[in-house]
Amino acid sequence: MRASTHLQGVDVSERVENRTAGQAPATKAQRRLAAQLAEKKAAEARRRRQSMLGAAAGVLAVVALVGGLVWLNSGDDDKPATATSASPSAPVEPAAPPAPELPAGTDPALKTKPTVQAGSGDLKKLTVTTLVKGTGPAVKAGQTITTNYVGVFYKGGKQFDASWDNGQPATFQIGVGQVIKGWDQGLVGVPVGSRVQLDLPADLAYGNDASGGRPAGPLRFVVDVLAAQ
């Protein structure tokens, strides 16, 4: 019985030792496998993080690029436009005023601004010279007339006023003191459609006082009478 027990004890002890010895290598392998798996998972996690960071950086770069282009475009809108069709040093000719509309039968010469020369000698009285004789009725005092005119200094011929340059004929009542005396006296009786030259001594114009920018001294006007009513 003791031998058997002893044998059994030996057998039991050996089986325990063999089982324990057999399990030890399996535990190390499992640990190595677990470590490898953990390292693999960590590497995959790192790769995912790097991919996500790279994608985010790409998106930010695109957003920054688009934002920069928008900013540049908005800045260009605030900049003044640069003229490319004409050199800044090249003078621009002013547009000619439109030709006035004339009544039927009016001489075509009245469509063009006249050239007015200076006078000569001493001017002592009103002088009316017909340059183009109209075919309309004679102007009467109290009527409202429409005219185009050019005014120059009698001495020297320098222009100081012209309705042609404004592109708008002058309309006023004649013979009632609305205009200078030389016009009130010189235009009454002139047929509509006429072009007349009025040479006015200073006392029938603005006098000899040039204060306030008035043209002083004797003056010469060329007046086109376009209408009267």
Side-chain angles (χ1 to χ4, degrees):
M1 291 292 292
R2 281 197 296 267
S4 176
T5 302
H6 175 71
L7 291 175
Q8 290 178 356
V10 172
D11 292 341
V12 171
S13 175
E14 289 177 354
R15 284 197 298 270
V16 172
E17 288 177 0
N18 290 339
R19 186 167 57 248
T20 303
Q23 288 178 352
T27 301
K28 291 180 180 180
Q30 290 174 356
R31 289 177 180 175
R32 283 196 299 271
L33 180 59
Q36 291 174 357
L37 291 175
E39 184 178 356
K40 184 177 180 181
K41 290 181 179 180
E44 290 178 352
R46 286 195 298 271
R47 283 196 297 271
R48 285 196 297 270
R49 285 197 298 270
Q50 291 174 355
S51 299
M52 293 175 65
L53 290 175
V59 171
L60 290 176
V62 171
V63 170
L65 178 61
V66 173
L69 291 175
V70 171
W71 179 82
L72 288 175
N73 290 334
S74 64
D76 290 341
D77 292 340
D78 296 334
K79 296 178 182 178
T82 303
T84 57
S85 59
S87 170
S89 60
V92 178
E93 294 295 333
E101 295 184 6
L102 303 178
T106 304
D107 193 309
L110 272 63
K111 290 185 176 181
T112 305
K113 178 182 177 181
T115 299
V116 185
Q117 304 294 335
S120 60
D122 292 333
L123 183 63
K124 297 181 179 180
K125 64 176 183 177
L126 169 65
T127 303
V128 181
T129 304
T130 299
L131 303 178
V132 176
K133 186 175 182 179
T135 58
V139 172
K140 298 178 181 179
Q143 284 187 308
T144 297
I145 67 174
T146 300
T147 66
N148 263 328
Y149 65 90
V150 177
V152 303
F153 291 99
Y154 186 81
K155 297 179 179 179
K158 182 179 179 181
Q159 177 182 305
F160 59 84
D161 193 13
S163 64
W164 292 86
D165 298 344
N166 301 326
Q168 181 66 44
T171 299
F172 50 87
Q173 196 173 7
I174 194 69
V176 295
Q178 285 193 358
V179 291
I180 55 179
K181 293 180 181 180
W183 279 42
D184 267 346
Q185 296 176 18
L187 294 179
V188 172
V190 173
V192 173
S194 298
R195 172 174 284 178
V196 295
Q197 178 177 285
L198 303 178
D199 292 331
L200 313 181
D203 61 328
L204 295 181
Y206 299 97
N208 291 306
D209 183 5
S211 62
R214 294 180 300 179
L219 306 176
R220 169 171 283 181
F221 291 90
V222 172
V223 183
D224 298 343
V225 180
L226 305 179
Q229 57 184 3

mmCIF file of all heavy atoms in Angstrom, residues 9 15 18 22 26 29-30 47 53 61 70 103 107 117 125 133 145 151 163 169 192 200 211-212 224 229:
data_model
loop_
_atom_site.group_PDB
_atom_site.id
_atom_site.type_symbol
_atom_site.label_atom_id
_atom_site.label_comp_id
_atom_site.label_asym_id
_atom_site.label_seq_id
_atom_site.Cartn_x
_atom_site.Cartn_y
_atom_site.Cartn_z
ATOM 1 N N GLY A 9 2.022 8.868 -5.404
ATOM 2 C CA GLY A 9 2.481 10.221 -5.064
ATOM 3 C C GLY A 9 3.468 10.720 -6.073
ATOM 4 O O GLY A 9 3.453 11.851 -6.476
ATOM 5 N N ARG A 15 3.047 14.407 -12.601
ATOM 6 C CA ARG A 15 2.032 14.974 -13.511
ATOM 7 C C ARG A 15 1.854 16.463 -13.272
ATOM 8 O O ARG A 15 1.714 17.240 -14.199
ATOM 9 C CB ARG A 15 0.696 14.219 -13.290
ATOM 10 C CG ARG A 15 0.698 12.820 -13.926
ATOM 11 C CD ARG A 15 -0.746 12.321 -14.045
ATOM 12 N NE ARG A 15 -1.363 12.187 -12.726
ATOM 13 C CZ ARG A 15 -1.313 11.064 -12.000
ATOM 14 N NH1 ARG A 15 -0.649 9.985 -12.429
ATOM 15 N NH2 ARG A 15 -1.935 11.002 -10.848
ATOM 16 N N ASN A 18 4.916 18.166 -14.695
ATOM 17 C CA ASN A 18 4.878 18.172 -16.164
ATOM 18 C C ASN A 18 3.840 19.176 -16.695
ATOM 19 O O ASN A 18 4.062 19.873 -17.665
ATOM 20 C CB ASN A 18 4.558 16.758 -16.675
ATOM 21 C CG ASN A 18 5.731 15.796 -16.425
ATOM 22 O OD1 ASN A 18 6.863 16.239 -16.247
ATOM 23 N ND2 ASN A 18 5.434 14.508 -16.373
ATOM 24 N N GLY A 22 4.698 22.361 -18.760
ATOM 25 C CA GLY A 22 4.129 22.501 -20.101
ATOM 26 C C GLY A 22 3.372 23.810 -20.292
ATOM 27 O O GLY A 22 3.253 24.307 -21.387
ATOM 28 N N ALA A 26 3.638 28.129 -22.983
ATOM 29 C CA ALA A 26 2.411 28.667 -23.595
ATOM 30 C C ALA A 26 2.112 30.057 -23.081
ATOM 31 O O ALA A 26 1.710 30.942 -23.819
ATOM 32 C CB ALA A 26 1.256 27.729 -23.314
ATOM 33 N N ALA A 29 4.418 32.622 -24.840
ATOM 34 C CA ALA A 29 4.020 32.817 -26.239
ATOM 35 C C ALA A 29 2.791 33.705 -26.322
ATOM 36 O O ALA A 29 2.672 34.572 -27.203
ATOM 37 C CB ALA A 29 3.747 31.459 -26.882
ATOM 38 N N GLN A 30 1.867 33.430 -25.392
ATOM 39 C CA GLN A 30 0.674 34.264 -25.380
ATOM 40 C C GLN A 30 1.023 35.714 -25.080
ATOM 41 O O GLN A 30 0.466 36.641 -25.666
ATOM 42 C CB GLN A 30 -0.317 33.729 -24.344
ATOM 43 C CG GLN A 30 -0.940 32.399 -24.740
ATOM 44 C CD GLN A 30 -1.806 31.816 -23.640
ATOM 45 O OE1 GLN A 30 -1.870 32.392 -22.549
ATOM 46 N NE2 GLN A 30 -2.445 30.683 -23.917
ATOM 47 N N ARG A 47 -1.101 55.392 -37.513
ATOM 48 C CA ARG A 47 -1.308 55.651 -38.932
ATOM 49 C C ARG A 47 -2.638 56.364 -39.186
ATOM 50 O O ARG A 47 -2.730 57.261 -40.016
ATOM 51 C CB ARG A 47 -1.248 54.330 -39.718
ATOM 52 C CG ARG A 47 0.182 53.822 -39.934
ATOM 53 C CD ARG A 47 0.210 52.758 -41.011
ATOM 54 N NE ARG A 47 -0.567 51.572 -40.639
ATOM 55 C CZ ARG A 47 -0.082 50.540 -39.976
ATOM 56 N NH1 ARG A 47 1.201 50.539 -39.587
ATOM 57 N NH2 ARG A 47 -0.836 49.501 -39.681
ATOM 58 N N LEU A 53 -4.699 63.753 -39.540
ATOM 59 C CA LEU A 53 -4.007 65.037 -39.456
ATOM 60 C C LEU A 53 -3.631 65.556 -40.840
ATOM 61 O O LEU A 53 -3.744 66.745 -41.135
ATOM 62 C CB LEU A 53 -2.756 64.903 -38.584
ATOM 63 C CG LEU A 53 -3.017 64.694 -37.082
ATOM 64 C CD1 LEU A 53 -1.701 64.441 -36.354
ATOM 65 C CD2 LEU A 53 -3.724 65.919 -36.490
ATOM 66 N N ALA A 61 -5.421 73.981 -45.812
ATOM 67 C CA ALA A 61 -4.667 74.637 -46.886
ATOM 68 C C ALA A 61 -5.597 75.119 -47.982
ATOM 69 O O ALA A 61 -5.458 76.220 -48.514
ATOM 70 C CB ALA A 61 -3.620 73.670 -47.452
ATOM 71 N N VAL A 70 -10.308 85.159 -52.363
ATOM 72 C CA VAL A 70 -11.452 86.033 -52.124
ATOM 73 C C VAL A 70 -10.998 87.393 -51.625
ATOM 74 O O VAL A 70 -11.462 88.447 -52.047
ATOM 75 C CB VAL A 70 -12.432 85.388 -51.117
ATOM 76 C CG1 VAL A 70 -13.508 86.384 -50.688
ATOM 77 C CG2 VAL A 70 -13.060 84.154 -51.731
ATOM 78 N N PRO A 103 -35.925 126.956 -87.352
ATOM 79 C CA PRO A 103 -37.216 126.945 -88.040
ATOM 80 C C PRO A 103 -37.031 126.668 -89.531
ATOM 81 O O PRO A 103 -35.958 126.903 -90.103
ATOM 82 C CB PRO A 103 -37.758 128.367 -87.803
ATOM 83 C CG PRO A 103 -36.977 128.900 -86.645
ATOM 84 C CD PRO A 103 -35.633 128.240 -86.705
ATOM 85 N N ASP A 107 -31.522 130.061 -92.768
ATOM 86 C CA ASP A 107 -30.242 129.859 -93.451
ATOM 87 C C ASP A 107 -29.406 128.832 -92.671
ATOM 88 O O ASP A 107 -29.236 128.966 -91.453
ATOM 89 C CB ASP A 107 -29.496 131.194 -93.537
ATOM 90 C CG ASP A 107 -28.322 131.143 -94.503
ATOM 91 O OD1 ASP A 107 -27.497 130.211 -94.377
ATOM 92 O OD2 ASP A 107 -28.233 132.024 -95.369
ATOM 93 N N GLN A 117 -14.407 138.724 -85.199
ATOM 94 C CA GLN A 117 -13.150 139.463 -85.192
ATOM 95 C C GLN A 117 -13.275 140.729 -84.339
ATOM 96 O O GLN A 117 -14.375 141.196 -84.023
ATOM 97 C CB GLN A 117 -12.758 139.854 -86.625
ATOM 98 C CG GLN A 117 -12.666 138.681 -87.593
ATOM 99 C CD GLN A 117 -11.539 137.737 -87.250
ATOM 100 O OE1 GLN A 117 -10.543 138.133 -86.617
ATOM 101 N NE2 GLN A 117 -11.678 136.476 -87.651
ATOM 102 N N LYS A 125 -21.133 154.849 -81.098
ATOM 103 C CA LYS A 125 -22.575 154.671 -81.168
ATOM 104 C C LYS A 125 -22.888 153.217 -81.531
ATOM 105 O O LYS A 125 -22.034 152.469 -82.019
ATOM 106 C CB LYS A 125 -23.196 155.611 -82.196
ATOM 107 C CG LYS A 125 -22.754 155.349 -83.620
ATOM 108 C CD LYS A 125 -23.477 156.255 -84.600
ATOM 109 C CE LYS A 125 -23.092 155.953 -86.049
ATOM 110 N NZ LYS A 125 -23.840 156.793 -87.007
ATOM 111 N N LYS A 133 -29.661 137.727 -93.487
ATOM 112 C CA LYS A 133 -31.008 138.289 -93.326
ATOM 113 C C LYS A 133 -32.033 137.180 -93.282
ATOM 114 O O LYS A 133 -32.114 136.345 -94.192
ATOM 115 C CB LYS A 133 -31.319 139.252 -94.476
ATOM 116 C CG LYS A 133 -32.642 139.984 -94.277
ATOM 117 C CD LYS A 133 -32.867 141.030 -95.369
ATOM 118 C CE LYS A 133 -34.180 141.781 -95.120
ATOM 119 N NZ LYS A 133 -34.427 142.842 -96.146
ATOM 120 N N ILE A 145 -37.729 136.292 -77.167
ATOM 121 C CA ILE A 145 -36.957 135.802 -78.298
ATOM 122 C C ILE A 145 -35.933 134.762 -77.830
ATOM 123 O O ILE A 145 -35.523 134.746 -76.661
ATOM 124 C CB ILE A 145 -36.248 136.942 -79.054
ATOM 125 C CG1 ILE A 145 -35.162 137.587 -78.185
ATOM 126 C CG2 ILE A 145 -37.255 137.982 -79.515
ATOM 127 C CD1 ILE A 145 -34.326 138.617 -78.941
ATOM 128 N N GLY A 151 -19.957 136.805 -77.737
ATOM 129 C CA GLY A 151 -19.550 138.142 -77.317
ATOM 130 C C GLY A 151 -18.044 138.242 -77.181
ATOM 131 O O GLY A 151 -17.417 137.380 -76.560
ATOM 132 N N SER A 163 -23.202 131.546 -76.011
ATOM 133 C CA SER A 163 -24.215 130.520 -75.729
ATOM 134 C C SER A 163 -23.868 129.218 -76.435
ATOM 135 O O SER A 163 -24.271 128.136 -75.988
ATOM 136 C CB SER A 163 -25.594 131.010 -76.183
ATOM 137 O OG SER A 163 -25.631 131.186 -77.599
ATOM 138 N N PRO A 169 -29.316 127.770 -76.280
ATOM 139 C CA PRO A 169 -29.639 129.148 -76.679
ATOM 140 C C PRO A 169 -30.214 129.938 -75.502
ATOM 141 O O PRO A 169 -30.747 129.385 -74.546
ATOM 142 C CB PRO A 169 -30.684 128.966 -77.789
ATOM 143 C CG PRO A 169 -30.457 127.577 -78.302
ATOM 144 C CD PRO A 169 -30.033 126.778 -77.107
ATOM 145 N N VAL A 192 -36.785 137.417 -87.771
ATOM 146 C CA VAL A 192 -36.432 136.096 -87.235
ATOM 147 C C VAL A 192 -35.683 135.309 -88.313
ATOM 148 O O VAL A 192 -36.056 135.342 -89.491
ATOM 149 C CB VAL A 192 -37.694 135.340 -86.782
ATOM 150 C CG1 VAL A 192 -37.345 133.907 -86.389
ATOM 151 C CG2 VAL A 192 -38.371 136.079 -85.632
ATOM 152 N N LEU A 200 -21.380 147.681 -79.616
ATOM 153 C CA LEU A 200 -21.956 148.464 -78.524
ATOM 154 C C LEU A 200 -20.885 149.309 -77.842
ATOM 155 O O LEU A 200 -19.884 148.760 -77.344
ATOM 156 C CB LEU A 200 -22.596 147.555 -77.474
ATOM 157 C CG LEU A 200 -23.527 146.432 -77.964
ATOM 158 C CD1 LEU A 200 -24.082 145.675 -76.768
ATOM 159 C CD2 LEU A 200 -24.649 146.990 -78.802
ATOM 160 N N SER A 211 -15.265 145.624 -62.385
ATOM 161 C CA SER A 211 -15.408 144.930 -61.105
ATOM 162 C C SER A 211 -16.498 143.867 -61.201
ATOM 163 O O SER A 211 -17.474 144.017 -61.946
ATOM 164 C CB SER A 211 -15.761 145.932 -59.998
ATOM 165 O OG SER A 211 -17.008 146.558 -60.265
ATOM 166 N N GLY A 212 -16.315 142.798 -60.463
ATOM 167 C CA GLY A 212 -17.278 141.696 -60.481
ATOM 168 C C GLY A 212 -17.149 140.808 -61.691
ATOM 169 O O GLY A 212 -18.022 139.986 -61.948
ATOM 170 N N ASP A 224 -27.717 135.435 -83.389
ATOM 171 C CA ASP A 224 -28.657 134.741 -84.274
ATOM 172 C C ASP A 224 -30.032 134.796 -83.628
ATOM 173 O O ASP A 224 -30.198 134.303 -82.494
ATOM 174 C CB ASP A 224 -28.247 133.283 -84.500
ATOM 175 C CG ASP A 224 -26.899 133.151 -85.175
ATOM 176 O OD1 ASP A 224 -26.420 134.138 -85.762
ATOM 177 O OD2 ASP A 224 -26.322 132.041 -85.113
ATOM 178 N N GLN A 229 -41.809 135.318 -80.012
ATOM 179 C CA GLN A 229 -43.246 135.106 -79.785
ATOM 180 C C GLN A 229 -43.773 135.999 -78.671
ATOM 181 O O GLN A 229 -43.011 136.470 -77.850
ATOM 182 C CB GLN A 229 -43.508 133.632 -79.431
ATOM 183 C CG GLN A 229 -42.756 133.122 -78.244
ATOM 184 C CD GLN A 229 -42.969 131.664 -77.982
ATOM 185 O OE1 GLN A 229 -43.657 130.972 -78.745
ATOM 186 N NE2 GLN A 229 -42.384 131.138 -76.924
#
